Amino acid sequence: MRRVAVGLLGLGTVGGGVARLLLGEADRIARRAGKRIELKGVLVRDRAKPRSVEGVSDLLTTDPHRLIDDPSIEVIIETIGGTDRALEWILAALSAGKHVVTANKAVLAEHGGLIFNEARRFGRAVAFEGAVGGGIPIIQALGVALAANEIRSISAILNGTCNFILTSMDQGGLTYSSALAEAQARGYAESDPTLDVDGTDTAHKLAILAQLAFGVNVTIDQIPRGGIDRLQAADVRYAAELGYTVKLLALARLSAAGLTLRVAPTLVRRGTPLAEVGGAFNAIRVFGDAVGETLFYGRGAGMLPTASAVVGDLIDVVVGRAELTSNILNLWSSDRGVPALRPARPDEVRSRYYLRFTIVDRPGVLARLAHVLGDHAISIASVIQHDPGENDGPGSPVPLVIMTHQATEAGVVAALDHIDTLDVVYAPSVRLGVEE
Ligand code: NAP
Ligand code: HSE
């Protein structure tokens, strides 16, 4: 059987899983690929660090060019993460005539145009199933299996770390910081976990999905994004009282108004599929005009789930499918013949909203707030205000939670700007969208 030599950059969570599969399941992978895959070398920063993957110690190197410049190596697998070195070595690998497999959403979301132009110039494939949704085959689904559809919407949980934290806070009573530490210990988090919790990682993934689903080149600066780092435990509790759970959602909506993309903590009604996604699992709901509603679910982070996607890509490259798909999809190209999509304006985006105000507890305050909401055509669906605590006297701050009916984002923003100036309101108001 013919052999294909590959070089692996990185031996952390993902790279370690890839090496484990390539070395431990070599026969199975050879049967699926039709060729024997030989792991020729593995780039690490520190050769002295203990490694948990058997049989890898003789393959380690700290010199990327030993792999990139080795003419016998046909595929480079990039799992080092980040956007500087990763970009440099991906481009070097392509110009050396190698195909590239990567799980790095940051480098694709930020430099996809350059990477895919170079791939086209050198006639090589770039495969990236592990970059979005970990082990869930969503890239194949959007790029190939759903290609007959106009995608109308995507609602997705794309960050395992955030979903793990939110589930642990909601169901396990963990504090935000201990849930984050646990997610890091399990290898779900990025090396800088700020990227997970501030919504950047989810926005990177949404930018990639938007490229596949709608043919648009968006940078993450064009995606309004919020994370869970400023979410307060009180909002998770009030959401539960109202029959909702809070999830960090990536949302894409195509309508006559244009394309709306956003990442935000969002109330999701309990009992609906996305609300029931717990722990580090991810889920992606895609609505296509022909297929209707679809749901993709699985482990969105972690060693072997992500390695499953990366090695699947490698097999695709070795079989020759990835090159074909890469060419036909023409990703991140300026001339894809896709009609320009305009971003929908805030006065065209409608949703129900969860609003929390911190107000003075005295007669007439609720009426004043309701009046401002009414002035902006915002109709109230329900209200929660608990009795003040024993130690709170009259006039002390109390939370007031309002669920609205459908309202425009522009109207809600304007109403909250006005309400926050009132002398009966203590702290900036909280606004979260609602996904039914
Ligand atoms: P990680 O655990 O931090 O591993 C990074 C690996 O790359 C380490 O082996 C490190 O070497 C090596 N490395 C980093 N910089 C290097 C440099 N300048 N020179 C040589 N080696 C270098 O990262 P990870 O969690 O596996 O993530 C890797 C990529 O996969 C990222 O793009 C991430 O976004 C993506 N991803 C991660 C997951 C996940 O669940 N973790 C899931 C999907 C996608 P040492 O071992 O010597 O330090
Ligand atoms: N840090 C990412 C997450 C890894 O938690 O989902 C998978 O992309």
Side-chain angles (χ1 to χ4, degrees):
M1 194 180 257
R2 183 163 113 65
R3 285 176 180 269
V4 176
V6 306
L8 175 61
L9 310 184
L11 190 67
T13 303
V14 178
V18 170
R20 190 170 283 183
L21 282 183
L22 291 181
L23 297 171
E25 303 296 343
D27 290 344
R28 179 168 80 206
I29 291 165
R31 278 198 306 279
R32 306 276 159 82
K35 289 173 193 152
R36 227 168 161 86
I37 293 177
E38 180 196 354
L39 182 57
K40 191 114 189 260
V42 180
L43 176 78
V44 291
R45 241 180 325 220
D46 177 6
R47 284 191 65 177
K49 198 161 149 182
R51 306 286 169 181
S52 62
V53 185
E54 244 178 73
V56 87
S57 53
D58 292 343
L59 301 174
L60 301 183
T61 176
T62 54
D63 177 5
H65 291 283
R66 273 195 48 197
L67 307 178
I68 292 167
D69 300 339
D70 178 341
S72 72
I73 289 182
E74 295 180 44
V75 188
I76 289 290
I77 304 171
E78 183 277 308
T79 70
I80 61 167
T83 51
D84 300 336
R85 293 291 187 209
L87 177 64
E88 181 187 334
W89 296 336
I90 286 172
L91 296 179
L94 290 170
S95 80
K98 300 175 196 321
H99 301 292
V100 170
V101 175
T102 179
N104 187 336
K105 54 271 167 168
V107 80
L108 289 172
E110 290 176 27
H111 303 290
L114 178 56
I115 291 171
F116 276 83
N117 277 342
E118 289 297 276
R120 280 187 280 274
R121 186 152 80 96
F122 294 106
R124 290 297 172 263
V126 177
F128 54 95
E129 186 64 72
V132 184
I136 305 170
I138 187 63
I139 302 297
Q140 279 279 342
L142 284 174
V144 180
L146 296 177
N149 289 263
E150 176 177 85
I151 304 300
R152 298 272 168 82
S153 71
I154 297 176
S155 314
I157 295 170
L158 294 176
N159 187 276
T161 301
C162 290
N163 207 53
F164 183 87
I165 292 172
L166 291 171
T167 309
S168 304
M169 287 171 73
D170 188 28
Q171 292 168 18
L174 261 68
T175 62
Y176 173 82
S177 49
S178 54
L180 171 60
E182 176 70 17
Q184 286 178 285
R186 292 177 185 224
Y188 303 148
E190 298 302 306
S191 50
D192 173 5
T194 319
L195 298 178
D196 292 296
V197 296
D198 74 359
T200 303
D201 178 79
T202 301
H204 281 145
K205 291 166 178 169
L206 182 58
I208 294 171
L209 294 186
Q211 175 69 227
L212 282 153
F214 307 105
V216 290
N217 287 340
V218 279
T219 62
I220 63 160
D221 300 332
Q222 295 168 291
I223 301 179
R225 67 183 190 277
I228 63 165
D229 46 350
R230 278 181 273 164
L231 183 71
Q232 295 182 27
D235 294 309
V236 177
R237 273 199 319 274
Y238 289 125
E241 278 186 43
L242 290 160
Y244 293 83
T245 184
V246 181
K247 296 290 184 192
L248 184 67
L249 291 192
L251 296 163
R253 295 272 179 281
L254 183 63
S255 67
L259 179 67
T260 316
L261 299 173
R262 74 178 54 230
V263 172
T266 305
L267 268 67
V268 183
R269 190 183 283 285
R270 285 198 196 276
T272 57
L274 292 182
E276 302 309 311
V277 175
F281 279 82
N282 283 189
I284 304 125
R285 273 176 68 180
V286 179
F287 189 94
D289 63 345
V291 72
E293 190 80 55
T294 61
L295 180 69
F296 300 85
Y297 170 82
R299 289 187 195 277
M303 182 181 244
L304 288 175
T306 313
S308 158
V310 173
V311 176
D313 270 349
L314 176 61
I315 293 171
D316 235 26
V317 167
V318 168
V319 165
R321 279 188 301 253
E323 214 177 323
L324 268 177
T325 316
S326 227
N327 271 334
I328 290 164
L329 287 178
N330 206 14
L331 294 171
W332 278 278
S333 159
S334 47
D335 93 45
R336 290 177 68 187
V338 177
L341 291 172
R342 76 170 173 89
R345 293 191 317 261
D347 60 336
E348 297 166 326
V349 177
R350 293 178 71 79
S351 163
R352 296 184 71 204
Y353 285 92
Y354 162 100
L355 310 174
R356 179 165 61 80
F357 306 99
T358 307
I359 55 164
V360 182
D361 186 22
R362 69 166 183 249
V365 174
L366 176 56
R368 281 182 73 184
L369 266 60
H371 188 76
V372 177
L373 293 173
D375 282 349
H376 289 88
I378 298 163
S379 165
I380 295 174
S382 62
V383 177
I384 300 179
Q385 189 190 335
H386 293 295
D387 279 345
E390 290 176 357
N391 301 325
D392 299 326
S396 54
V398 288
L400 172 77
V401 172
I402 290 179
M403 281 291 270
T404 74
H405 289 296
Q406 290 267 338
T408 66
E409 183 183 14
V412 171
V413 169
L416 265 53
D417 282 350
H418 182 168
I419 287 171
D420 284 350
T421 64
L422 301 179
D423 57 1
V424 291
V425 174
Y426 278 108
S429 314
V430 172
R431 164 176 62 99
L432 299 172
V434 178
E435 178 84 354
E436 296 297 342

